Amino acid sequence: MPESTRATPLYEGRPLARPDDEVVDQGLGFDVVTLMGRRQLLRALGLGAIGVGLAACGTAAVTSTSSGASSVSAGTSGADAAATGEIPDETAGPYPGDGSNGPDVLSESGIVRSDIRSSFGASSGTADGVPMTLELTITDLARGGVPFAGAAVYVWHCDRDGNYSMYSDGVTEQNYLRGVQIADAAGVVSWTSIFPACYSGRWPHIHFEVYPDEAGITDAANAIATSQVALPQDVCDAVYATAGYERSVSNLAQVSLTSDNVFGDDGGTSQLGTATGDVTTGYVVSLTAAVDTRTTPSAGAAPAGNGGGRGGGGRMGTPPSGMGTPPDGSAPSDGVSTAPATGTSA
């Protein structure tokens, strides 16, 4: 057939830039268009950009946590997080201590501190337990995922008995296990603390809020993101086998990451911290949290009388009375079991 009438070879409906060469030798421009076309198809199928990366590599990009579970390295939780890569918004629970539901520790001088084991100001109590260092790396999706230097991060969690300072009976005058750190140039913040208990109905966890800067912590409404860190099961098992954590053993046996009312939608894929260490020297728990100042936080106020579940905000709710069931006999504020056990649900 004459050269002028020979049909030009096609690939995926497009003419080859170099008809006499293999598809893999069509040049960078052709390859880019091919790749982008595949991404659009994958998005239409609901696979997203992560699916492209996995398909291109031909293997699952996973990281192993100390719990033995695996998670996609760019893992996310929920539909919105899957689309943006942002850390999922979660309930703050009814005991945030940020002024949105009663006490406001963020207004107190000295709240910016790295060692949160002891109370400060007019309080003097210290929380006992297995040592733990919490390290969060905050990235800024609004600027392409760079470290969020200068961001202020507030963390809080229950003590070895499952009680929250400022709220639980016996520790209402304490403010331990609460503190703010300012992210360094690498977006890193860290605290010296103790490993929290597991109380009835909730997987062991740590709450945190991210603010744009230190000045922003004066108003809880300034929080860019509210989320939680899930703790690895093998580390929980090791810690709860030590003295003082006895009731956490039975509480942990009654819940899993998939049944938890906060992490259960995806098993805490993007919120499960990694851990190193041991019960003698303590553990270092680490997590990277991507936040996006362009999105509206979804963890708003929950209906009165309900601490809210996943995404419900948890800004309301009845403070705990001792251990287990709140004083009015209603279900705990997360809507979980009322069986008498260590602490309360938040």
Side-chain angles (χ1 to χ4, degrees), residues 11 13 20-21 35 44 77 98 100 147 162-163 172 190 206 218 223 234 253 272 297 303 339:
Y11 178 74
D20 296 326
D21 295 334
L35 178 60
S77 173
D98 60 5
S100 62
N163 295 317
T172 56
S190 66
I206 299 168
T218 57
D234 63 334
L272 183 60

Side-chain angles (χ1 to χ4, degrees), residues 36-120:
M36 294 306 297
R38 289 176 178 171
R39 285 180 172 172
Q40 291 171 356
L41 174 62
L42 287 168
R43 288 194 186 98
L45 295 174
L47 298 180
I50 292 176
V52 174
L54 298 181
C57 295
T59 184
V62 300
T63 56
S64 176
T65 68
S66 62
S67 66
S70 295
S71 61
V72 179
S73 59
T76 55
S77 173
D80 291 340
T84 66
E86 187 173 13
I87 192 75
D89 273 327
E90 306 287 13
T91 174
Y95 321 121
D98 60 5
S100 62
N101 188 33
D104 185 3
V105 74
L106 298 181
S107 65
E108 298 185 24
S109 175
I111 185 59
V112 179
R113 61 200 188 118
S114 60
D115 190 336
I116 61 175
R117 291 174 294 181
S118 297
S119 293
F120 64 98

